Amino acid sequence: MSDRRTDGLDDLTRWRTFLAVHQSRSISGAARALGLAQPSASAQISALEAALGQPLFERHARGVVPTAYADELAGRLAAPFAAVGSALVDTLGPVLGGAAHPLLRLGGPAELLAEVAAPALAPLVRDGVQLQITPGLTDDLLDALRDGRLDLVIATSRPKGRSLRAEPLADEELVLVGPAGGSLTEVRSPADLAGTALIAYAADVPLLRRFWRHAFAVRLEVAPSLTVPDLRAVRAAVVAGAGVSVLPRYLAQRDLVEGRLLDLHPSDDPPISTTYLVTRGDPPAATRCAAAALRAATRTWG
């Protein structure tokens, strides 16, 4: 940065890198997500810190930790950058629509595709993009991406290797939910759930296990009473009074607000599940626009 007066627009690339590092908690991870060399991303952060006169991150062996000042900056900048992304979607959509109706093949968890992705990508469809959505498990979808059968994947885990490019999309806050109007209104320990049915997405209860480990610091030893591979069905079963479960907050929020579900273990430090946007190499314009729209749609989760 120079000492001349500026409106800051010359430094948008550095601020974009700052937000990526803040979200991923890793300079190398942010560099991969942005298609930068790690030294370049590190230099941009150092340049910002020098210009601001104070550190933005504490460096550790396994990544970085934002300072309180960095958290404040990220809170102020995230929404404007999301608005720019949405504006680019709106601006580039007609251009994409006139380009022989480009095809975009998107894969991800069925619930997130239905609740978030399909509405977020509606503007692209209106502008002529042909959108094909494929629900499935992350490993299967990543294989399809590697094979060229998909263009963009919302993944529940970061892919291994360097053949795919991944960037954090959002942190899903996990919440322990039960039906409103039942006898159970608060869970302080697993003992409070004695005799209560657990409802799970899969037999290995991944969300329940993660919640138990984070919130209660114990291993979940109880088998689920109901298993259904669709979190929307899990939500419906809990609302109907079948038992309790763990859901991403985005999926439970409306029922929590409208009084059909109860947050049984409110916390200032909830467990999270990170989702990723994964592409091959340098994605085409339609894929980049879709990624921007998805980032904007999930910006408020963190």
Side-chain angles (χ1 to χ4, degrees):
M1 291 185 182
S2 69
D3 293 330
R4 63 182 175 85
R5 292 176 62 86
T6 174
D7 58 8
L9 293 178
D10 292 342
D11 303 314
L12 286 179
T13 299
R14 289 172 178 172
W15 288 115
R16 180 169 178 254
T17 300
F18 160 72
L19 287 173
V21 173
H22 186 271
Q23 184 180 49
S24 66
R25 302 299 197 264
S26 167
I27 293 178
S28 59
R32 287 193 299 271
L34 297 174
L36 300 174
Q38 192 275 340
S40 177
S42 182
Q44 290 183 28
I45 296 300
S46 295
L48 280 178
E49 291 177 324
L52 295 169
Q54 56 183 302
L56 294 171
F57 300 98
E58 298 175 1
R59 276 70 167 174
H60 297 278
R62 295 187 177 182
V64 298
V65 176
T67 63
Y69 180 60
D71 285 336
E72 178 189 355
L73 282 177
R76 292 165 57 189
L77 291 173
F81 268 76
V84 170
S86 296
L88 289 175
V89 170
D90 293 339
T91 300
L92 294 177
V95 176
L96 293 170
H101 302 293
L103 174 64
L104 172 63
R105 299 164 299 177
L106 170 68
E111 308 85 3
L112 202 152
L113 292 173
E115 300 279 336
V116 179
L121 300 182
L124 290 183
V125 176
R126 289 197 302 266
D127 290 326
V129 173
Q130 298 181 50
L131 178 61
Q132 294 181 359
I133 291 181
T134 302
L137 299 176
T138 286
D139 288 345
D140 296 335
L141 296 173
L142 292 178
D143 286 342
L145 182 62
R146 292 186 183 94
D147 295 342
R149 291 177 281 130
L150 290 175
D151 304 302
L152 178 64
V153 168
I154 303 173
T156 56
S157 61
R158 183 185 290 275
K160 298 179 180 179
R162 298 186 177 182
S163 62
L164 299 177
R165 176 179 172 180
E167 62 172 297
L169 171 61
D171 288 334
E172 300 175 350
E173 179 183 324
L174 301 181
V175 55
L176 180 67
V177 294
S183 59
L184 190 64
T185 59
E186 185 179 14
V187 173
R188 296 183 179 181
S189 73
D192 295 334
L193 290 167
T196 302
L198 297 182
I199 305 170
Y201 174 86
D204 60 347
V205 294
L207 297 184
L208 287 161
R209 280 191 292 105
R210 182 172 300 174
F211 193 96
W212 254 242
R213 185 169 60 248
H214 182 94
F216 304 130
V218 298
R219 180 183 178 88
L220 176 61
E221 302 289 354
V222 181
S225 299
L226 170 61
T227 303
V228 53
D230 189 313
L231 289 175
R232 292 164 298 181
V234 170
R235 177 183 61 189
V238 176
V239 169
V244 305
S245 190
V246 170
L247 293 172
R249 182 169 289 277
Y250 82 86
L251 200 60
Q253 186 63 20
R254 180 178 299 176
D255 290 304
L256 289 168
V257 170
E258 296 179 359
R260 290 181 290 273
L261 289 177
L262 293 178
D263 182 348
L264 298 176
H265 189 81
S267 170
D268 293 332
D269 179 32
I272 60 172
S273 176
T274 302
T275 56
Y276 299 86
L277 284 177
V278 189
T279 58
R280 294 186 313 277
D282 186 19
T287 302
R288 295 197 302 272
C289 285
L294 292 169
R295 285 191 292 268
T298 58
R299 186 69 68 184
T300 59
W301 290 6

